[in-house]
Amino acid sequence: MSKAQRERDRAAARRIVEQQKAAAKRRRVTVWTSVAVVAVLVIAGLIGWGVYANQNKTDASSVATPSVAVDDGTAFAVGTGPVTIDLYEDFMCPICHQFETDSGATLNQLVADKKVTVRYHTVAILDDASNGTKYSTRAAGAAAEAAQEGKFKEYHDVLYANQPEENSDGLTDAKLIDLGKSVGLGDAFATAVNNKTYDAWVAKVTDTFASRGFNGTPTVVVNGKQLQGANGGVPTHDDLTKAVEAAEG
């Protein structure tokens, strides 16, 4: 083999070695880059989870739940009878007003006779029907403060007696406060209404309502079973009485 040939072979060998070194270096860089990327993603994920958890914690802690609320903090109980009636209603709902007109006296009598406990769930599914004022939420929040001060039923009834038309602006906060004064509520009530103290709580109650598979008001549930009237309509006072009698056994 000539000297020139040997030089060419050595040069080729050096190139191969250099190529192999370069390839090995690239593999090391790729591996460490991948490790770094994974580490960054893991750290970002942990940070993201921390932010999410903190946000959830903040959101949960921002819900002011009335201490008198029952059923996981979503309702106000009236009466002490053995049969439980859960009533889901929206203070803007005209059909809720009709149900109150037809069955309110029956409910009151069943409570007085100690046959039932009525749990009122004040939901807000008609906020869009008040021209942006969120009347359903505001009224339900005001009722929550009334309950906290021991005046839920009185305020509940006066709200229905003054129910605004659906798709109107609803009652102003000032009017909600005036109605509170008419049933003996004072400065603490006015502060809660003005500060929207229970707005987040109303949203929670409404979410719970939906999670239980309900989508319309009024919804009436007697001892865990939804009560409906003829053809799936709103139950009447007669339907209510019969359902309670059946539940009593």
Side-chain angles (χ1 to χ4, degrees):
M1 180 182 295
S2 68
K3 182 178 180 180
Q5 182 62 44
R6 285 196 298 272
E7 290 296 329
R8 284 195 296 271
D9 289 345
R10 282 195 292 269
R14 284 195 298 271
R15 284 196 300 273
I16 292 171
V17 170
E18 292 300 324
Q19 289 170 354
Q20 290 173 340
K21 288 180 178 178
K25 183 178 180 181
R26 285 196 299 272
R27 284 194 296 272
R28 287 196 298 274
V29 170
T30 300
V31 168
W32 284 109
T33 300
S34 299
V35 170
V37 169
V38 170
V40 168
L41 290 175
V42 168
I43 292 169
L46 291 173
I47 292 171
W49 170 252
V51 171
Y52 174 77
N54 265 347
Q55 184 63 47
N56 275 358
K57 183 177 180 181
T58 300
D59 289 346
S61 65
S62 69
V63 177
T65 300
S67 62
V68 296
V70 299
D71 191 20
D72 294 328
T74 66
F76 303 113
V78 176
T80 57
V83 176
T84 299
I85 298 175
D86 285 287
L87 175 56
Y88 298 85
E89 55 186 359
D90 184 314
F91 287 117
M92 178 62 101
C93 168
I95 303 175
C96 293
H97 186 278
Q98 292 174 19
F99 176 80
E100 177 67 20
T101 300
D102 177 73
S103 300
T106 299
L107 286 171
N108 291 341
Q109 190 60 54
L110 289 169
V111 166
D113 293 341
K114 297 184 178 180
K115 291 185 175 183
V116 304
T117 298
V118 184
R119 300 195 300 194
Y120 290 88
H121 304 254
T122 56
V123 303
I125 62 174
L126 291 177
D127 270 344
D128 290 341
S130 55
N131 300 324
T133 74
K134 295 186 176 181
Y135 175 71
S136 295
T137 290
R138 292 188 295 109
E145 176 60 25
Q148 189 68 6
E149 297 186 38
K151 294 281 188 178
F152 173 76
K153 192 60 168 58
E154 294 89 336
Y155 194 69
H156 168 279
D157 292 350
V158 80
L159 279 178
Y160 275 122
N162 292 271
Q163 187 186 58
E165 291 185 4
E166 189 176 6
N167 296 314
S168 71
D169 290 347
L171 305 180
T172 64
D173 286 350
K175 180 62 176 177
L176 290 174
I177 291 169
D178 283 342
L179 292 178
K181 290 179 181 177
S182 75
V183 297
L185 295 165
D187 291 343
F189 175 78
T191 298
V193 171
N194 286 325
N195 290 346
K196 308 292 187 287
T197 300
Y198 293 108
D199 280 14
W201 174 81
V202 175
K204 174 188 172 183
V205 173
T206 305
D207 288 343
T208 300
F209 167 75
S211 72
R212 292 175 177 178
F214 305 132
N215 55 24
T217 54
T219 291
V220 184
V221 180
V222 179
N223 272 7
K225 183 178 180 180
Q226 186 173 355
L227 177 65
Q228 294 181 319
N231 301 316
V234 177
T236 65
H237 62 276
D238 286 335
D239 295 325
L240 196 58
T241 300
K242 291 175 182 177
V244 170
E245 290 174 351
E248 288 177 318

